[in-house]
Amino acid sequence: MNAILVDDEPLARQEMQALIKEVSNIEILGAFSNARAALDFLSTNEIDLIFLDIEMPMVSGIEFARLLPTPTLVIFTTAYPQYALKSYELDAIDYLLKPVDKFRLDKAIKKAEAYKKLLLNHPEQNTLEGNTADFLLIKSERRFHRIKYKDIRFIEGLKDYVVIHMANQKLITAMNLKTFHQKIPQDLFIRVSKSYIVNKNVIESFDHHNIYLNGNELPLGEFYKKDFFHLFSGGIISVDKDVS
């Protein structure tokens, strides 16, 4: 896997390159101080992953991410936690706060590598063949997979694909998250952000910002927060009540 860094702070670029080399074998093909220079590079080079700062002059990291080609994966790196939900709405692989922790970086890179592997397996050929009251039927690699709803933990939107997360397996197929949500039982699955749908029965806990299940931490979007709090607290907790 190859990557570039985009950050307007020279010291931040140097530190990030050193950390990446320490935890992975990713080939760093360039480090840029602004989005325009990075876009010029991308016009003639194919990149798997971008480590992207958000607060930059001229073109912000958020604006830059919207211009990227579909297969490009993004890990945001920033000193500002308020951008976290916005980054997930752009289907970012991860969101790392500066100073970047080495172990969090390692986790983010491993996640990016896993998704790159999934995308290389021609997910556009994976198709949803149909659905019943109990399961989905998905064709992948010339095989038909019967996916029981109760075995699905959550569904993740990743650009033009959805990733179905189960206990010991992930399946990716070419479909947007909204269309996929319409194919599964509305009484079992709940949309919690622009990028995630969750099986209600596997949610362990939640706070004002995240939902926790089976070792996973999923962002809770502002638009979906009020309905989620009402559903899972039986009206006891409102979005205005501090649960921190």
Side-chain angles (χ1 to χ4, degrees), residues 203-217:
I203 295 174
E204 297 170 348
S205 60
F206 63 93
D207 56 32
H208 268 90
H209 307 290
N210 297 293
I211 295 165
Y212 304 92
L213 59 147
N214 304 114
N216 297 106
E217 181 179 316

Side-chain angles (χ1 to χ4, degrees), residues 6 14 48 54 70-71 100-101 221:
V6 187
Q14 294 172 14
D48 299 319
I54 291 178
T70 296
V100 174
D101 177 79

